[in-house]
Amino acid sequence: MGEMIGNIAHQWRQPLSLISTVSSGIKMQKEFGTLNDKDLDESVDAITKATKHLSKTIDDFQNFFKPNKTKEKFTTTDVFEKSLSLISAQFKAKSIDIEKNIDKIEIFGLENELIQVLINILNNARDELVKKEQKDKLIVIETKQTKNRVKIIITDNAGGVSTKIINKIFEPYFSTKKEQQGTGIGLYMSKEIITKHMKGNIKVENSTINIKGNSYKGARFTITLPTIND
């Protein structure tokens, strides 16, 4: 809940700042007698657009928290659009680029639970990238369909997972974070959702990414799920 409140705060910060700046500008122009109809219309349009964004954010989070245990059809493009709409502001704030190579593939399952898994993996990658001093910080999202399975692959360039712990990260209560930063149940619960609720599997391995001629090590999470036709 704390994590999601933080996401809401980041998503709202920019439009609220815009509304404040534009409204102050209108007031100042009026005081100096320089406010014309064109500037007023543009300012009102900007405020309206920002408020619509705030309203959409509320709707996104309300839908995310709805308890829905009924399996339904959804696509990989939809699930990532919804996932990234909830957390993208934090990545922009930390200068983390997200590269998307997402094919539109239908899945039959629990969309909100998959969103939780994706957000968990993406936020873990963000936390590791923030620790790095490197200029280029990247997460690559890919989807692939093989016969009656869809693969969702999320790769970062945050240095990878230590070989000492890579086989433990899906265990209950295992965490590399300090006690106040995490409970250790995130990846364990992610695996439970994928394997038990959606009849798929999830694995992690270390890999490399090439960016602008430089090679970076990183973690690669691969989620495999049944497609709509399974």
Side-chain angles (χ1 to χ4, degrees):
M1 181 65 75
E3 180 78 20
M4 297 312 292
I5 290 172
N7 287 327
I8 293 171
H10 277 276
Q11 293 294 101
W12 276 29
R13 187 166 286 119
Q14 184 176 354
L16 286 173
S17 176
L18 174 66
I19 291 170
S20 176
T21 301
V22 172
S23 60
S24 297
I26 292 173
K27 185 177 180 181
M28 186 175 295
Q29 284 180 291
K30 186 175 183 301
E31 288 176 352
F32 283 96
T34 59
L35 182 64
N36 56 53
D37 290 343
K38 181 176 180 294
D39 289 340
L40 180 61
D41 288 343
E42 289 178 352
S43 296
V44 171
D45 287 344
I47 290 173
T48 301
K49 184 177 179 181
T51 54
K52 285 181 178 178
H53 177 79
L54 293 173
S55 179
K56 183 178 183 301
T57 301
I58 293 171
D59 292 340
D60 289 342
F61 279 92
Q62 282 182 327
N63 291 331
F64 175 74
F65 283 113
K66 284 180 181 177
N68 183 6
K69 295 295 182 182
T70 303
K71 290 187 176 182
E72 57 188 359
K73 296 178 184 179
F74 59 91
T75 67
T76 48
T77 49
D78 288 340
V79 78
F80 272 107
E81 181 180 347
K82 292 176 181 179
S83 300
L84 294 173
S85 73
L86 299 175
I87 62 174
S88 60
Q90 291 206 39
F91 289 78
K92 290 178 182 177
K94 302 297 183 182
S95 300
I96 298 172
D97 293 324
I98 298 178
E99 181 181 309
K100 294 175 285 185
N101 301 308
I102 302 171
D103 294 327
K104 188 175 183 179
I105 305 167
E106 284 193 326
I107 300 172
F108 183 72
L110 301 168
E111 185 178 22
N112 275 358
E113 294 204 2
L114 181 56
I115 289 172
Q116 291 179 51
V117 173
L118 297 176
I119 287 176
N120 184 33
I121 293 171
L122 290 167
N123 280 345
N124 282 344
R126 177 204 64 202
D127 291 344
E128 293 303 314
L129 284 166
V130 167
K131 299 175 186 177
K132 303 296 178 182
E133 295 182 0
Q134 65 205 37
K135 180 180 178 181
D136 296 312
K137 299 176 182 179
L138 178 67
I139 296 172
V140 178
I141 301 170
E142 304 170 87
T143 60
K144 298 177 182 179
Q145 185 166 4
T146 56
K147 294 184 180 179
N148 58 349
R149 293 285 185 273
V150 56
K151 285 189 175 182
I152 298 172
I153 305 164
I154 301 174
T155 312
D156 62 57
N157 68 329
V161 184
S162 168
T163 55
K164 295 179 181 179
I165 65 170
I166 197 167
N167 294 322
K168 299 179 181 179
I169 65 171
F170 292 115
E171 294 178 1
Y173 307 112
F174 177 80
S175 178
T176 59
K177 298 178 181 179
K178 295 179 181 178
E179 186 176 350
Q180 65 270 27
Q181 293 177 319
T183 62
I185 65 172
L187 289 175
Y188 167 72
M189 288 304 299
S190 294
K191 185 174 182 180
E192 291 287 291
I193 288 170
I194 296 300
T195 58
K196 294 185 178 179
H197 298 189
M198 301 191 71
K199 308 302 180 185
N201 62 64
I202 181 172
K203 67 176 184 177
V204 63
E205 58 191 336
N206 288 320
S207 66
T208 58
I209 295 181
N210 292 313
I211 307 172
K212 300 175 183 177
N214 296 316
S215 182
Y216 296 91
K217 290 183 179 180
R220 173 177 291 163
F221 284 84
T222 303
I223 298 169
T224 306
L225 297 169
T227 63
I228 194 72
N229 297 317
D230 191 21

